[in-house]
Each structure stands twice: as structure tokens, then as C-alpha cells.
């Protein structure tokens, strides 16, 4: 497939980022070296956590959180069906059951009122996601988790640098995770980090990421994984982390730019961030007056004009693995399904130009006009 003229996302790599990577390549330790330690100290600071354990992906970080929670076949985990599929898959990989709770249509995050009603004897954990970088109600979720003795896992992979009630995202609950895939606010190509305030759990996570190996002896006390990250990636991510504030500022500007250009278009519902959002993607929705069946042809037409776009997120419960194992059908989580059927993610990255944003907005408005 031909690359679109205006991609859906694009990493921003500066000269300083390149120099940081070259410095690692000039040394001898490409993995498990000093850059990982530096990155872990820096990201723990960003998240307001005592411990950070860098791993090979955001998914690996979430999976370690599930393993350290001790999830097993009798465990239920309350989570959202409106997310990147990784946040539910990690629960399945532990043999546990993801119990989905529908979202709040305003925030697109877990509806906390509904969530409380789904707590049973088997519930062990809540896994919350900040969909598209908009903070979930972590303060409320923290009190629910505390009241019911549940582990709280914060999937902050889409929301680095965001806040909830003034507190940094990544600081809530027992565990949190960030991811560094190329479409994220900070990227290392691939990578992730598990965060916690518990030094013993962090030490176990450090063993688990390296085959269960004891760092102080010859043996392998745990059944581990290879979830190691490289110093090459850590140096790249650390360099980017140094300009996190300016990256977030720029992304907010791009979101404001789309709002200015699209707010008069009655066929669209625009994403509502708040002052604590970390903008990850820019996802508009078709307004109620437009049939959802118009969405896929619109995506195809945008791509035909060289504009990258996507349907975020396909509901997790309707994916084949979840349908087959749990018998989910259409209608199970109506808000998630209604929202998901109407979304269009538009090109969104730091370096997008005014002219490119003009072109995206004009093309989209033109296509919607012929829709009415
Ligand atoms: C990106 C992302 C992850 C982690 O993805 P990786 O590709 O494994 O780094 C996890 N959860 C959500 C919601 C994400 O968007």
C-alpha cells in the first residue's frame, strides 16, 4: 500500500535524539546498561512513583502487572471494552477473566457507577485505561479499589504526562504502565515501563523481565520472560522525555487547531479533552444525524485522497477470541459499540503543518457535505 501524503501519525526524531542513540552505539553495552537506569529514574519522576522497571513493550509491562497481582483462572478483572486490545489480552494470558464494564459516553472511559455493580467474590483487580489520553476517574477508582480490597492497575500507555486531580497519571493504584510505540507521545520504536511504589514487587518485576534470574546469584528463582529493553531504546526515550512538556504543549496546539477548523461542522462530534489530558490521538465521531454505515466509506475516501486515518477502537468484546470464549454478541456494551461505530482518527503528530491540517479539515468537511 502507498504511504499516505499525510500520515495518521509520525514520530518526531530530533538531532539530539540521534546523538543520544549514537552515543550508546559507540559503547559496549547495548542492553541492560546505564541508559536503562537513567531512563527508569527519569520516568519514575514523571509518574511520581518510587520504582520504574523498563521492559520491551507497554503490553509486557501490563502483563507483568497481572502476573505480580497473582491473577489466576478464578480471577475476574474489571476493565473497559473500549481500548487497544492489549489491555484485555494481558488478563487472558494469565488465565483470568476480563469482565467488561461499559464506558461513559462523555469521557469514553470506564463508567465507575456501573463498575461498582459488577464487583463479585471473584473480582481481584480493576484495569483502567485513559482512552485517547483523556484521564479516567482515577481518584474515584482508587477509592472503589480500596473499599473492596482490589488491585488497581492503571494502563497509562496513551496518557503520559497527563493528570487527574492534579496528580500525574501513572501514579495511581498499585501498578501503572506506559508504552513507547512510534505513535505514542514519547517513542523508542518499541518499549514500555512498569511503575509501582512497592520495592519488593519492583525487584520481582526486574527478575521476571530477565528470565527470572537472580541478580545477586547464579540461579533463576522465578519463571520469567525475556521482556528486556535495550539501551539504544532507553537513550532515545530519555532524550525525548527531556522535552515532554513541549511535546504535550505542541499536541494540545494541534488538537486546538482541529477544533477551530471543525467546530462548525454539524456532522461531527469533536473530542473533548480537559486541561489534564495528554493528547494521544485526535478522534472525531459522526454526529447522530449521520448513519454509522457512512463511516467506513469515509475512511476509504480520506485514504484515497492521501490522508491517513483509522477506526479507533474496534470493541474488544466483539473480537473473535472474546466472542468465542465468552459468547459476547452485538448489544453487550451499547455505548462502546455506538461510539466505536462512529469514530474517525485523523492525522495527529507534532510536526503536522497548518496547511496539512487545513487539507484534512477541508477534505473531511467536503466529504461530509456530500453525505447529507
Ligand atoms: C499502546 C497501548 C498499549 C501498549 O502497547 P505496546 O504496543 O505493547 O507498547 C497498551 N494499552 C493501550 C491502551 C495502548 O494504547
Amino acid at each position: 500500500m502507498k504511504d499516505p501524503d499525510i500520515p495518521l501519525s509520525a514520530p518526531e526524531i530530533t538531532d539530539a535524539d540521534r546523538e543520544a542513540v549514537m552515543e550508546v552505539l559507540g559503547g559496549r553495552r547495548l542492553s541492560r546498561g546505564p541508559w536503562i537506569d537513567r531512563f527508569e529514574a527519569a520516568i519514575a519522576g514523571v509518574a511520581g512513583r518510587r520504582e520504574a522497571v523498563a521492559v520491551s513493550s507497554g503490553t509486557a509491562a501490563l502483563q507483568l502487572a497481572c502476573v505480580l497481582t497473582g491473577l489466576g483462572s478464578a480471577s475476574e478483572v474489571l476493565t473497559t471494552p473500549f481500548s487497544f486490545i492489549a489491555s484485555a489480552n494481558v488478563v487472558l494470558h494469565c488465565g483470568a477473566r476480563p469482565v467488561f464494564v461499559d464506558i461513559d459516553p462523555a469521557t469514553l472511559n470506564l463508567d465507575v457507577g456501573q463498575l461498582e455493580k459488577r464487583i463479585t467474590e471473584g473480582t481481584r483487580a480493576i484495569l483502567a485505561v485513559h482512552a485517547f489520553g483523556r484521564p479516567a476517574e482515577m481518584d474515584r477508582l482508587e477509592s472503589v479499589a480500596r473499599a473492596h480490597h482490589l488491585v488497581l492497575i492503571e494502563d497509562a500507555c496513551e496518557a503520559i504526562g497527563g493528570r487527574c486531580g492534579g496528580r500525574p497519571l501513572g501514579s495511581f493504584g498499585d501498578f501503572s504502565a506506559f508504552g513507547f510505540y512510534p505513535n505514542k507521545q514519547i517513542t523508542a520504536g518499541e518499549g514500555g515501563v512498569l511503575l509501582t511504589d512497592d520495592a519488593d514487587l519492583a525487584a520481582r518485576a526486574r527478575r521476571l523481565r530477565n528470565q527470572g534470574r537472580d541478580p545477586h546469584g547464579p540461579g533463576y528463582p522465578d519463571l520469567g520472560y525475556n521482556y528486556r529493553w535495550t539501551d539504544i531504546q532507553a537513550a532515545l526515550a530519555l532524550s525525548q522525555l527531556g522535552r515532554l512538556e513541549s511535546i504535550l504543549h505542541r499536541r494540545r496546539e494541534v488538537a486546538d487547531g482541529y477544533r477551530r477548523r471543525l467546530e462548525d461542522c454539524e456532522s461531527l462530534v469533536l473530542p473533548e479533552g480537559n486541561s489534564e489530558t495528554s493528547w494521544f490521538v485526535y478522534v472525531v465521531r459522526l454526529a447522530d444525524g449521520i448513519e454509522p454505515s457512512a463511516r467506513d466509506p469515509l475512511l476509504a475516501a480520506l485514504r484515497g485522497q492521501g490522508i491517513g486515518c483509522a477506526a479507533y477502537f474496534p470493541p474488544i468484546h466483539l473480537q473473535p477470541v472474546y466472542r468465542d470464549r465468552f459468547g459476547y454478541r452485538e448489544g453487550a456494551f451499547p455505548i462502546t459499540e455506538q461510539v466505536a461505530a462512529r469514530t474517525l482518527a485523523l492525522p495527529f503528530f507534532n510536526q503536522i503543518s497548518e496547511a496539512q491540517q487545513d487539507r484534512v479539515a477541508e477534505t473531511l468537511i467536503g466529504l461530509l457535505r456530500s453525505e447529507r
Side-chain angles (χ1 to χ4, degrees):
M1 210 166 76
K2 191 170 145 281
D3 274 351
D5 312 335
I6 310 179
L8 178 57
S9 77
E12 182 186 57
I13 305 297
T14 65
D15 288 342
D17 293 348
R18 284 192 189 83
E19 280 163 28
V21 170
M22 292 307 287
E23 200 178 324
V24 182
L25 292 177
R28 286 188 190 157
R29 300 197 55 172
L30 302 187
S31 190
R32 301 208 310 125
W35 290 92
I36 302 229
D37 298 339
R38 279 174 219 154
F39 178 81
E40 287 179 342
I43 195 96
V46 167
R49 285 281 200 192
R50 293 210 187 95
E51 302 282 343
V53 181
V55 290
S56 52
S57 70
T59 308
L62 289 172
Q63 199 186 342
L64 290 184
C66 291
V67 170
L68 293 170
T69 299
L71 295 182
S73 58
S75 316
E76 294 177 2
V77 178
L78 298 171
T79 192
T80 168
F82 190 68
S83 172
F84 179 51
I85 196 162
S87 62
N89 282 353
V90 292
V91 175
L92 280 193
H93 279 301
C94 290
R97 183 187 177 102
V99 173
F100 295 115
V101 177
D102 213 347
I103 54 171
D104 176 329
T107 64
L108 311 185
N109 287 319
L110 278 173
D111 180 333
V112 183
Q114 276 196 55
L115 176 133
E116 284 203 77
K117 296 184 200 134
R118 304 296 304 276
I119 296 173
T120 69
E121 287 285 290
T123 309
R124 287 291 314 281
I126 300 171
L127 196 160
V129 178
H130 311 296
F132 305 150
R134 166 137 190 182
E137 293 174 271
M138 293 313 296
D139 31 14
R140 276 181 79 194
L141 288 168
E142 228 174 28
S143 29
V144 172
R146 211 171 282 136
H148 297 269
H149 307 288
L150 304 176
V151 172
L152 179 59
I153 302 171
E154 184 191 356
D155 178 349
C157 287
E158 303 196 350
I160 190 168
R163 290 180 174 268
C164 176
R167 252 175 79 186
L169 299 184
S171 71
F172 290 87
D174 301 273
F175 300 101
S176 49
F178 294 126
F180 308 115
Y181 189 71
N183 67 344
K184 310 277 177 179
Q185 293 89 326
I186 298 289
T187 185
E190 292 282 358
V193 66
L194 175 70
L195 298 139
T196 177
D197 289 319
D198 185 315
D200 293 333
L201 289 173
R204 262 197 80 202
R206 290 201 169 82
R207 292 203 298 272
L208 289 174
R209 79 174 160 188
N210 189 28
Q211 307 290 6
R213 186 169 173 176
D214 180 355
H216 311 294
Y220 295 82
D222 290 305
L223 175 62
Y225 307 83
N226 175 3
Y227 285 166
R228 292 189 305 265
W229 207 29
T230 66
D231 273 52
I232 307 166
Q233 291 164 307
L236 178 53
L238 184 63
S239 175
Q240 299 202 353
L241 203 57
R243 57 193 156 85
L244 177 62
E245 283 313 314
S246 79
I247 289 172
L248 296 181
H249 177 77
R250 174 60 192 148
R251 294 175 88 88
R252 184 171 290 277
E253 267 178 11
V254 175
D256 289 344
Y258 272 131
R259 172 159 285 277
R260 274 199 310 281
R261 287 167 172 89
L262 296 171
E263 67 191 346
D264 293 333
C265 179
E266 285 170 9
S267 305
L268 293 177
V269 178
L270 302 184
E272 294 282 348
N274 63 25
S275 62
E276 300 196 303
T277 297
S278 167
W279 284 90
F280 167 50
V281 283
Y282 196 83
V283 181
V284 301
R285 278 141 67 189
L286 297 179
D288 285 342
I290 310 250
E291 286 300 315
S293 58
R295 195 269 310 269
D296 291 346
L298 261 171
L299 290 174
L302 283 169
R303 287 191 194 112
Q305 307 239 13
I307 295 173
C309 53
Y312 287 159
F313 300 106
I316 298 176
H317 65 284
L318 296 180
Q319 302 314 303
V321 172
Y322 292 83
R323 283 179 186 262
D324 293 351
R325 281 203 203 186
F326 304 112
Y328 285 122
R329 293 290 173 267
E330 277 81 4
F333 301 101
I335 313 272
T336 292
E337 292 167 32
Q338 281 156 29
V339 168
R342 294 174 170 276
T343 56
L344 299 106
L346 302 181
F348 191 74
F349 47 95
N350 303 355
Q351 325 84 292
I352 193 168
S353 67
E354 296 286 322
Q356 286 176 316
Q357 283 200 281
D358 285 344
R359 207 181 114 199
V360 173
E362 281 158 20
T363 310
L364 180 58
I365 289 169
L367 288 166
L368 284 164
R369 213 169 271 140
S370 51
E371 202 56 52
R372 289 218 144 209

